[in-house]
Amino acid sequence: MLNMISYELLLFVLAPILILVFLSLDVLFLTWLERKVIARIQLRYGPNRTGPFGLLQPLADALKLIQKEDIIPKTADKVVFTLAPIISFVAASLPFMFIPFSKFFQISFIENALIFLLATSALSAIGILLAAWGSNSKYPLLGGMRAIVQVLSYEIPLVLAVLSIVLIVGSFKLTDIVEFQEKNTWLILLQPLGFLIFFISGLAEASRVPFDLPESESELVAGFHTEYSGMKFALLLFAEYIHLILISILITIFYLGGWLIPGIYYLENIAITIGNSFNIPSHISISILHFIILIIKAHIIIFLILWITRGTLFRIRVYSLPVFSWKGLVPLSMINLIITAILVVM
Amino acid sequence: MFIFLIISFIFAIISLLLPRIFGHKKEEPEKNVPYECSILPFGDARVRYDVQYYLFALLFVLFDVEIVLLFPWALIFKNFANPIFILIEGIIFIMILLVGLIYAWKRGALTWRA
């Protein structure tokens, strides 16, 4: 009984802090990874002065950002300008409530997790719009408008691709989706088209490179965060990278089997034995194992995103951005939904 | 659930307060001017933007509401007693959506006129 209460307490108070700390460290790591990968693709060295392989570079950057002066432009709407980074950070980290990091570890166990997940992940557009409007400057406004039309356009194929998964699995719980893949096969084999649609619209939602129009450096200086500096800029950057992590974790859970890998049962047994020797309950040691596998898989996806899109692709034009979604991805995802429904009935 | 919300708010606010302690402050008249490629900004920054943005937002609202209606359909689909019935109903609904999309397409709502 006492054990149960302490586990609940852990889940309620410690887990959010742990996840936020993990996200912050992971964002720091990702900034390093992105710079390093892009540098190697472009035959440069990338950060290599601070620490081994330049691994301490993000820490140095963070320290620099903390020491920066907090500049608010005199024409800006001060309340909105200050609120925007906070809201975009909170909105970006909210979906992690509903993500199962393992079979037993999810902050909010609710029946309709998927709906809440989609709803909260779309909230980050509000933060961007607030930042763009509150700056009261021309480049941020243009960037913000582009960001909104991009998020709105690519939301629909994303949701339709997820709906095809719901059709196959028959549940809104993300743990059920992974369990289905445990019993049958990974959903990427059943939904190759859906995977492609989800991947592309996920890239657009996270505004990664072929769709990085909201902050295209060569046209709009820095887009919606042109006026931001110091920690406010850092929070906006955090929100963006957290969105990337979210999309890659979602791809992993929906299509690549979440924490499942071949031979997971042996690994679970090993984890339980190791856990027993330290007097850790078996569900906690399994949770840790699942968490590690999920995160490694998500980072492989992130590496692919950096490699395939950031390293090789170019930015698409703003005129073809929503058109590609409405004329290409939306009809395609509807057809995918119909085909999935027919196949499920058969 | 709300604990996560509160904790992430606290997280964000603390990181915004950090520069108050470690940062420095130096007032200069030109520093707080909005950035505009090193010229002084003229006119209001809140310019009128293209109506096309509004059109796409309107389309999004329409399609999103219709997709919300598809959610319960997708949830009960697998375990429904009469699979052929629910399949045909769903296909009819998605076809209506597609016809709406094709209508918007033909009217030129999806073409960005610069």
Side-chain angles (χ1 to χ4, degrees):
Chain A
M1 189 65 203
L2 195 73
N3 213 358
M4 273 313 284
I5 291 172
S6 63
Y7 185 64
E8 290 287 301
L9 202 72
L10 182 102
L11 213 61
F12 261 75
V13 184
L14 209 60
I17 297 175
L18 274 180
I19 284 179
L20 284 172
V21 168
F22 162 74
L23 283 178
S24 318
L25 291 178
D26 200 22
V27 167
L28 290 180
F29 171 71
L30 281 182
T31 53
W32 172 83
L33 185 75
E34 174 157 15
R35 290 172 68 179
K36 203 74 179 173
V37 169
I38 300 307
R40 296 316 291 192
I41 287 172
Q42 295 165 348
L43 298 179
R44 293 183 287 114
Y45 284 110
N48 61 352
R49 296 281 161 183
T50 42
F53 307 107
L55 259 171
L56 296 178
Q57 185 66 42
L59 278 181
D61 289 344
L63 278 177
K64 183 199 74 178
L65 282 173
I66 288 173
Q67 288 173 17
K68 285 276 178 184
E69 184 184 341
D70 193 16
I71 301 173
I72 300 177
K74 61 183 173 195
T75 51
D77 189 333
K78 285 192 177 52
V79 179
V80 177
F81 189 80
T82 322
L83 212 58
I86 299 176
I87 290 202
S88 39
F89 177 79
V90 172
S93 54
L94 269 188
F96 285 87
M97 278 196 296
F98 309 108
I99 285 183
F101 288 100
S102 91
K103 210 182 282 176
F104 311 105
F105 182 54
Q106 185 179 348
I107 291 179
S108 166
F109 281 101
I110 50 173
E111 200 67 18
N112 298 330
L114 197 61
I115 292 181
F116 277 85
L117 186 79
L118 291 171
T120 46
S121 69
L123 273 181
S124 60
I126 294 175
I128 295 176
L129 187 63
L130 284 182
W133 189 257
S135 304
N136 198 358
S137 175
K138 279 163 195 159
Y139 292 114
L141 189 72
L142 289 173
M145 287 305 159
R146 287 180 179 188
I148 295 303
V149 78
Q150 176 169 324
V151 170
L152 293 190
S153 297
Y154 286 85
E155 187 74 21
I156 289 176
L158 188 97
V159 175
L160 281 172
V162 173
L163 266 183
S164 336
I165 290 177
V166 176
L167 270 186
I168 295 176
V169 178
S171 168
F172 281 153
K173 279 163 97 175
L174 275 83
T175 39
D176 283 357
I177 292 175
V178 179
E179 253 168 48
F180 176 86
Q181 296 178 77
E182 195 173 3
K183 281 179 200 128
N184 300 286
T185 170
W186 288 6
L187 275 164
I188 186 174
L189 299 174
L190 304 175
Q191 285 280 314
L193 192 60
F195 172 75
L196 209 63
I197 292 166
F198 191 90
F199 189 76
I200 294 172
S201 22
L203 280 182
E205 292 278 307
S207 57
R208 297 310 294 180
V209 154
F211 309 104
D212 70 334
L213 289 144
E215 46 180 307
S216 42
E217 299 94 4
S218 45
E219 306 157 29
L220 294 180
V221 189
F224 60 90
H225 53 68
T226 306
E227 297 291 348
Y228 282 90
S229 65
M231 272 324 264
K232 285 180 184 145
F233 168 73
L235 275 187
L236 286 173
L237 197 79
F238 263 54
E240 214 181 294
Y241 275 96
I242 288 175
H243 216 93
L244 177 66
I245 299 170
L246 173 75
I247 290 295
S248 54
I249 287 183
L250 284 186
I251 288 174
T252 316
I253 287 178
F254 287 156
Y255 294 100
L256 300 175
W259 50 81
L260 305 172
I261 48 169
I264 180 82
Y265 298 109
Y266 301 107
L267 285 176
E268 274 176 0
N269 284 333
I270 293 170
I272 290 171
T273 358
I274 294 173
N276 279 341
S277 61
F278 292 103
N279 276 332
I280 302 169
S282 60
H283 57 268
I284 291 182
S285 44
I286 287 180
S287 289
I288 294 169
L289 176 75
H290 285 175
F291 182 77
I292 292 170
I293 294 172
L294 182 72
I295 294 305
I296 288 174
K297 274 175 144 178
H299 280 76
I300 292 170
I301 296 289
I302 291 178
F303 178 73
L304 284 181
I305 287 175
L306 293 181
W307 175 26
I308 297 172
T309 68
R310 179 77 204 264
T312 40
L313 290 179
F314 41 82
R315 186 181 303 136
I316 66 170
R317 289 188 316 150
V318 65
Y319 300 130
S320 50
L321 169 88
V323 174
F324 173 63
S325 167
W326 286 103
K327 287 187 180 172
L329 290 182
V330 172
L332 206 63
S333 54
M334 282 180 183
I335 291 164
N336 182 41
L337 191 66
I338 293 176
I339 292 171
T340 312
I342 292 170
L343 287 181
V344 167
V345 167
M346 281 161 65
Chain B
M1 192 161 147
F2 289 103
I3 289 175
F4 193 93
L5 190 69
I6 293 161
I7 288 175
S8 59
F9 256 112
I10 293 170
F11 214 77
I13 288 166
I14 286 176
S15 55
L16 278 194
L17 289 178
L18 277 178
R20 293 264 170 110
I21 307 165
F22 299 107
H24 59 95
K25 192 91 184 162
K26 200 175 170 193
E27 288 295 332
E28 274 183 46
E30 274 85 29
K31 191 187 270 175
N32 295 334
V33 173
Y35 180 76
E36 208 158 294
C37 294
S38 77
I39 56 164
L40 284 178
F42 56 89
D44 192 12
R46 278 149 193 178
V47 287
R48 290 172 71 178
Y49 49 90
D50 203 336
V51 69
Q52 200 72 39
Y53 288 108
Y54 182 73
L55 267 181
F56 281 118
L58 207 63
L59 269 176
F60 166 76
V61 172
L62 285 175
F63 275 84
D64 214 37
V65 168
E66 281 158 343
I67 283 166
V68 165
L69 293 177
L70 275 175
F71 264 98
W73 171 75
L75 182 63
I76 60 167
F77 188 85
K78 208 179 171 190
N79 302 319
F80 200 68
N82 191 347
I84 300 295
F85 169 75
I86 194 168
L87 172 71
I88 290 169
E89 290 282 308
I91 288 178
I92 289 171
F93 189 78
I94 298 168
M95 281 302 169
I96 293 171
L97 277 180
L98 263 179
V99 169
L101 186 70
I102 290 166
Y103 176 73
W105 195 328
K106 288 287 170 220
R107 289 296 298 264
L110 304 184
T111 318
W112 194 303
R113 288 179 292 269

